[in-house]
Amino acid sequence: MSYKLKTANGKVAFLLKTGKDFVKNQMAVASAQHIIDTGEVKKSDIEGYPINVDDKWYFAGEVFKKSASRKTEGVAE
């Protein structure tokens, strides 16, 4: 699963699960990337926060399904 964080001024919006509730805030993109890199990315069921890490962190952004890479032959750049 590949993704792209939705950033604004170097920060990304996130939800942090705290018991039955969520805390909404923003963090630096580098911090969010670290959480994503060290956790397990899963499918999210929370609208607007499609990047789920460890069922605890939810980040704003876009998720892309990995598809077979297509090589375009004969195309001049």
Side-chain angles (χ1 to χ4, degrees):
M1 180 181 312
S2 58
Y3 58 85
K4 180 180 181 195
L5 292 169
K6 183 178 180 183
T7 61
N9 299 321
K11 297 193 179 222
V12 60
F14 71 90
L15 296 176
L16 174 59
K17 191 169 191 175
T18 54
K20 295 179 183 178
D21 297 320
F22 290 92
V23 174
K24 183 178 180 180
N25 208 333
Q26 294 182 343
M27 72 170 66
V29 173
S31 299
Q33 191 63 57
H34 177 73
I35 291 168
I36 293 167
D37 290 345
T38 58
E40 182 183 351
V41 179
K42 304 177 179 183
K43 183 178 179 183
S44 172
D45 58 354
I46 298 178
E47 187 176 335
Y49 296 86
I51 305 165
N52 169 6
V53 181
D54 299 327
D55 292 325
K56 180 178 178 181
W57 298 94
Y58 296 83
F59 295 98
E62 295 178 66
V63 173
F64 305 98
K65 292 182 181 178
K66 286 186 178 178
S67 58
S69 60
R70 296 180 187 173
K71 292 186 178 181
T72 306
E73 296 180 24
V75 175
E77 292 183 357

